[in-house]
Amino acid sequence: MTVRVLLVDDQEMVRAALRAVIDRRDDLCVVGDAADGEQAVAAALRLRPDVVVMDVRMPGMTGVEATRRILDGWPHPAPPPRVLVLTTFDLDEYVHAALRAGAGGFLLKNSPPDQLAHAIRVVAEGEAMLAPSVTHRLISTFTALPLGLVPGVSGPGRHELIDALTERELRVLILVARGLSNLQIADALGLTQANVKSRVNRILTRLGLDNRVQAAILVHEAGLLPAVHGRDEPPEPRRPRP
């Protein structure tokens, strides 16, 4: 199946470069582009793409507000598109706001072309695309805040819910926190990708989380793994200290 992509960026040269990267893949195609948030909302409603590659900082309506309007105001019976946010991390609050608005993935603008193509495929499948460097930056910023200010992570009994997970579920949760995709987790644990996807969805539901970034923050706060972004394979999961 070909993934239909809408490009949103205020710089024409950037849109042209992204289009060249995407259209040379047989399973991806650009169906339209937009130069600001208002155009992005209108184009998304008209073209119904599978994935919107969204810049966050644009004149007028930002990519964050455009993401919120597309997802919250989607009028069609089919699900809304997934949103892959492109960021330079110059201003982290935009990324945090995009997370709260429902963005499904985050990618640095200087990422290699193959990584962009991979991110679009992953997001189109309904997974969250969180490169380890992106997740690490988000966690570093979020964990500098009081836990009660971290969107979607605070709440009574959250760590007790972690303690109720099985050892296999806990290991899946830790690998999610490291930024691994469902396919990578499946390879690491000897499971099928469909099985991992089901487990991840079940874990997020049981913990009352909306996405994988929140899961990564919770793993960090619970002290489950001292360095969730190290290069080595994670040790056997350990329970949080009481």
Side-chain angles (χ1 to χ4, degrees), residues 4 22 29 32-33 50 53 63 66 72 89 94 96 113 127 131 153 158 165 176 180 186-187 208 210 225 231:
R4 304 170 69 253
I22 293 169
C29 75
D33 59 37
D50 301 307
V53 176
D72 291 348
F89 274 115
Y94 281 115
H96 303 165
E127 298 183 31
V153 177
R158 194 65 59 86
L165 297 176
V176 166
L180 273 66
D187 290 341
D210 295 326
L225 201 59
R231 294 183 179 180

CSV table of all heavy atoms in Angstrom, one decimal, residues 4 22 29 32-33 50 53 63 66 72 89 94 96 113 127 131 153 158 165 176 180 186-187 208 210 225 231:
chain,number,residue,atom,x,y,z
A,4,ARG,N,0.3,8.0,1.5
A,4,ARG,CA,0.0,9.3,1.0
A,4,ARG,C,0.5,10.4,2.0
A,4,ARG,O,0.0,10.3,3.1
A,4,ARG,CB,-1.4,9.4,0.6
A,4,ARG,CG,-1.9,8.3,-0.4
A,4,ARG,CD,-3.4,8.3,-0.6
A,4,ARG,NE,-3.8,9.5,-1.3
A,4,ARG,CZ,-4.5,10.5,-0.8
A,4,ARG,NH1,-4.8,10.5,0.5
A,4,ARG,NH2,-4.9,11.5,-1.5
A,22,ILE,N,10.9,11.7,-0.6
A,22,ILE,CA,9.7,10.9,-0.4
A,22,ILE,C,9.3,10.2,-1.7
A,22,ILE,O,9.1,9.0,-1.8
A,22,ILE,CB,8.6,11.7,0.2
A,22,ILE,CG1,8.9,12.1,1.6
A,22,ILE,CG2,7.3,10.8,0.2
A,22,ILE,CD1,8.0,13.1,2.2
A,29,CYS,N,4.3,8.5,-1.4
A,29,CYS,CA,4.0,9.5,-2.5
A,29,CYS,C,3.5,10.8,-1.8
A,29,CYS,O,2.7,10.7,-0.8
A,29,CYS,CB,3.1,9.1,-3.5
A,29,CYS,SG,1.3,9.0,-3.0
A,32,GLY,N,0.4,16.5,-1.7
A,32,GLY,CA,0.2,17.9,-1.6
A,32,GLY,C,1.1,18.5,-0.7
A,32,GLY,O,1.8,17.8,0.1
A,33,ASP,N,1.2,19.8,-0.7
A,33,ASP,CA,2.0,20.5,0.3
A,33,ASP,C,1.3,21.8,0.8
A,33,ASP,O,0.3,22.3,0.2
A,33,ASP,CB,3.4,20.8,-0.2
A,33,ASP,CG,3.4,21.6,-1.5
A,33,ASP,OD1,2.6,22.6,-1.6
A,33,ASP,OD2,4.3,21.4,-2.4
A,50,ASP,N,-2.4,10.0,4.6
A,50,ASP,CA,-2.2,9.1,5.6
A,50,ASP,C,-1.3,9.7,6.7
A,50,ASP,O,-1.4,9.4,7.9
A,50,ASP,CB,-1.5,7.8,5.1
A,50,ASP,CG,-2.4,7.1,4.0
A,50,ASP,OD1,-3.5,6.8,4.3
A,50,ASP,OD2,-1.9,6.9,2.9
A,53,VAL,N,3.6,15.5,7.3
A,53,VAL,CA,4.9,15.8,7.8
A,53,VAL,C,4.9,17.3,8.1
A,53,VAL,O,4.8,18.1,7.2
A,53,VAL,CB,6.0,15.5,6.8
A,53,VAL,CG1,7.4,16.0,7.3
A,53,VAL,CG2,6.0,14.0,6.5
A,63,GLY,N,2.6,24.9,13.5
A,63,GLY,CA,2.3,23.5,13.2
A,63,GLY,C,1.6,22.8,14.4
A,63,GLY,O,0.8,21.8,14.2
A,66,ALA,N,-2.1,23.7,14.0
A,66,ALA,CA,-2.6,23.0,12.9
A,66,ALA,C,-2.8,21.5,13.2
A,66,ALA,O,-3.8,20.9,12.8
A,66,ALA,CB,-1.6,23.1,11.7
A,72,ASP,N,-8.5,17.2,16.2
A,72,ASP,CA,-9.7,17.5,17.0
A,72,ASP,C,-10.9,17.7,16.1
A,72,ASP,O,-12.0,17.4,16.5
A,72,ASP,CB,-9.5,18.6,17.9
A,72,ASP,CG,-8.5,18.3,19.1
A,72,ASP,OD1,-8.1,17.1,19.2
A,72,ASP,OD2,-8.0,19.2,19.8
A,89,PHE,N,14.6,21.5,17.4
A,89,PHE,CA,14.7,21.6,18.9
A,89,PHE,C,15.3,22.9,19.3
A,89,PHE,O,15.9,23.0,20.4
A,89,PHE,CB,15.6,20.4,19.4
A,89,PHE,CG,14.8,19.2,19.7
A,89,PHE,CD1,15.1,18.1,18.9
A,89,PHE,CD2,13.9,19.2,20.6
A,89,PHE,CE1,14.3,16.9,19.1
A,89,PHE,CE2,13.1,18.0,20.9
A,89,PHE,CZ,13.4,16.9,20.1
A,94,TYR,N,7.6,23.9,21.7
A,94,TYR,CA,6.8,23.6,20.5
A,94,TYR,C,6.6,22.1,20.4
A,94,TYR,O,5.6,21.6,20.1
A,94,TYR,CB,7.5,24.1,19.3
A,94,TYR,CG,7.2,25.6,19.0
A,94,TYR,CD1,8.3,26.5,19.0
A,94,TYR,CD2,6.0,26.1,18.8
A,94,TYR,CE1,8.1,27.8,18.8
A,94,TYR,CE2,5.8,27.5,18.6
A,94,TYR,CZ,6.9,28.3,18.6
A,94,TYR,OH,6.7,29.6,18.3
A,96,HIS,N,6.8,19.9,22.9
A,96,HIS,CA,6.0,19.5,24.0
A,96,HIS,C,4.5,19.7,23.7
A,96,HIS,O,3.7,18.9,23.9
A,96,HIS,CB,6.4,20.2,25.3
A,96,HIS,CG,7.8,20.0,25.7
A,96,HIS,ND1,8.4,20.8,26.6
A,96,HIS,CD2,8.7,19.2,25.3
A,96,HIS,CE1,9.7,20.5,26.8
A,96,HIS,NE2,9.9,19.5,26.0
A,113,PRO,N,17.9,11.0,4.9
A,113,PRO,CA,16.7,10.7,4.1
A,113,PRO,C,16.1,9.4,4.4
A,113,PRO,O,14.9,9.3,4.5
A,113,PRO,CB,17.2,10.8,2.7
A,113,PRO,CG,18.4,11.7,2.7
A,113,PRO,CD,19.1,11.5,4.0
A,127,GLU,N,2.2,3.5,14.8
A,127,GLU,CA,3.2,3.5,15.8
A,127,GLU,C,3.7,4.9,16.1
A,127,GLU,O,3.6,5.8,15.2
A,127,GLU,CB,4.4,2.6,15.5
A,127,GLU,CG,4.0,1.1,15.4
A,127,GLU,CD,5.2,0.2,15.1
A,127,GLU,OE1,6.3,0.6,15.6
A,127,GLU,OE2,5.1,-0.8,14.4
A,131,ALA,N,12.9,8.7,17.7
A,131,ALA,CA,14.3,8.4,17.6
A,131,ALA,C,14.9,8.6,19.0
A,131,ALA,O,14.5,9.5,19.7
A,131,ALA,CB,15.0,9.3,16.6
A,153,VAL,N,1.5,12.2,32.6
A,153,VAL,CA,2.3,11.2,33.4
A,153,VAL,C,1.9,11.2,34.8
A,153,VAL,O,1.9,10.1,35.5
A,153,VAL,CB,3.8,11.5,33.2
A,153,VAL,CG1,4.6,10.5,34.0
A,153,VAL,CG2,4.2,11.4,31.7
A,158,ARG,N,0.2,5.5,39.6
A,158,ARG,CA,0.8,5.1,38.3
A,158,ARG,C,1.9,4.2,38.5
A,158,ARG,O,2.1,3.2,37.8
A,158,ARG,CB,1.2,6.4,37.6
A,158,ARG,CG,1.6,6.2,36.1
A,158,ARG,CD,0.3,5.9,35.3
A,158,ARG,NE,-0.7,6.8,35.4
A,158,ARG,CZ,-0.8,7.9,34.6
A,158,ARG,NH1,0.1,8.2,33.7
A,158,ARG,NH2,-1.9,8.7,34.7
A,165,LEU,N,2.6,-5.0,36.3
A,165,LEU,CA,2.9,-5.5,35.0
A,165,LEU,C,3.7,-6.9,35.1
A,165,LEU,O,4.4,-7.1,36.1
A,165,LEU,CB,3.7,-4.6,34.2
A,165,LEU,CG,3.1,-3.2,33.8
A,165,LEU,CD1,4.1,-2.3,33.1
A,165,LEU,CD2,1.9,-3.4,33.0
A,176,VAL,N,10.4,0.2,24.9
A,176,VAL,CA,9.6,1.4,24.3
A,176,VAL,C,10.3,2.6,24.8
A,176,VAL,O,10.5,3.6,24.1
A,176,VAL,CB,8.2,1.3,24.8
A,176,VAL,CG1,7.5,2.7,24.6
A,176,VAL,CG2,7.4,0.2,24.1
A,180,LEU,N,12.8,2.2,20.9
A,180,LEU,CA,12.7,1.1,19.9
A,180,LEU,C,11.3,1.0,19.2
A,180,LEU,O,10.3,1.3,19.9
A,180,LEU,CB,13.1,-0.3,20.5
A,180,LEU,CG,14.6,-0.6,20.5
A,180,LEU,CD1,15.3,0.3,21.5
A,180,LEU,CD2,14.7,-2.1,21.0
A,186,ALA,N,10.2,-6.6,18.6
A,186,ALA,CA,9.8,-8.0,18.3
A,186,ALA,C,11.1,-8.8,18.0
A,186,ALA,O,11.2,-9.9,18.5
A,186,ALA,CB,9.0,-8.0,17.0
A,187,ASP,N,12.1,-8.2,17.3
A,187,ASP,CA,13.3,-8.9,17.1
A,187,ASP,C,14.1,-9.1,18.4
A,187,ASP,O,14.7,-10.2,18.5
A,187,ASP,CB,14.2,-8.0,16.1
A,187,ASP,CG,13.7,-8.0,14.7
A,187,ASP,OD1,12.9,-8.8,14.4
A,187,ASP,OD2,14.1,-7.1,14.0
A,208,GLY,N,-2.6,4.1,31.7
A,208,GLY,CA,-3.3,5.4,31.5
A,208,GLY,C,-2.5,6.4,30.7
A,208,GLY,O,-2.7,7.6,31.0
A,210,ASP,N,-1.0,8.1,27.0
A,210,ASP,CA,-1.5,8.4,25.6
A,210,ASP,C,-0.5,8.0,24.6
A,210,ASP,O,-0.8,7.7,23.4
A,210,ASP,CB,-1.8,9.9,25.5
A,210,ASP,CG,-2.9,10.3,26.3
A,210,ASP,OD1,-3.8,9.5,26.6
A,210,ASP,OD2,-2.9,11.5,26.8
A,225,LEU,N,15.3,1.9,35.0
A,225,LEU,CA,16.5,1.7,34.2
A,225,LEU,C,17.3,3.0,34.3
A,225,LEU,O,16.9,4.1,33.9
A,225,LEU,CB,16.2,1.5,32.7
A,225,LEU,CG,17.2,0.8,31.9
A,225,LEU,CD1,17.6,-0.6,32.5
A,225,LEU,CD2,16.7,0.6,30.5
A,231,ARG,N,23.7,2.4,24.7
A,231,ARG,CA,23.8,1.7,23.5
A,231,ARG,C,23.7,0.2,23.7
A,231,ARG,O,23.4,-0.6,22.8
A,231,ARG,CB,25.2,2.0,22.8
A,231,ARG,CG,25.3,3.4,22.3
A,231,ARG,CD,26.6,3.6,21.6
A,231,ARG,NE,26.7,5.0,21.1
A,231,ARG,CZ,27.7,5.5,20.4
A,231,ARG,NH1,28.8,4.7,20.2
A,231,ARG,NH2,27.8,6.7,20.0
